[in-house]
Amino acid sequence: MWLFFSSVSASGEVSTHSHYCCEVEGHFDVLNRCVTAGYTLLSAFVIDQGQRTDLPLEAFDGQPVSAYIKDLQEQYQQVLSS
């Protein structure tokens, strides 16, 4: 799936980016790393199998989330298998 986002740097430079990753949590980490580096997100969306999903910018606070999502997936799979 593709991630497309735009951001503005601390110096005011606006830029657009695209990133490909098979897992959505990888995209979340990219956005959080940008916020940690001092960029302000202006827009972000993913496109997967032709479907566009706009992402809520306020959710990206600079904290990594992929480990938490992976833990949640494992817990969910354990519940389903029991």
Side-chain angles (χ1 to χ4, degrees):
M1 90 183 56
W2 281 96
L3 167 68
F4 297 91
F5 67 100
S6 60
S7 62
V8 61
S9 69
S11 64
E13 180 181 340
V14 176
S15 55
T16 59
H17 313 272
S18 61
H19 180 263
Y20 182 83
C21 185
C22 295
E23 297 177 352
V24 71
E25 55 268 18
H27 292 315
F28 294 167
D29 283 341
V30 166
L31 294 171
N32 277 313
R33 282 195 298 267
C34 287
V35 170
T36 299
Y39 291 87
T40 300
L41 299 175
L42 300 175
S43 67
F45 62 92
V46 293
I47 295 184
D48 187 33
Q49 297 180 358
Q51 295 277 5
R52 175 183 166 143
T53 303
D54 292 312
L55 300 176
L57 302 181
E58 62 276 2
F60 303 102
D61 60 2
Q63 300 298 313
V65 296
S66 61
Y68 297 112
I69 292 174
K70 186 172 186 141
D71 287 343
L72 183 61
Q73 288 173 333
E74 290 172 2
Q75 291 173 13
Y76 185 71
Q77 289 174 350
Q78 288 175 352
V79 168
L80 289 178
S81 66
S82 57

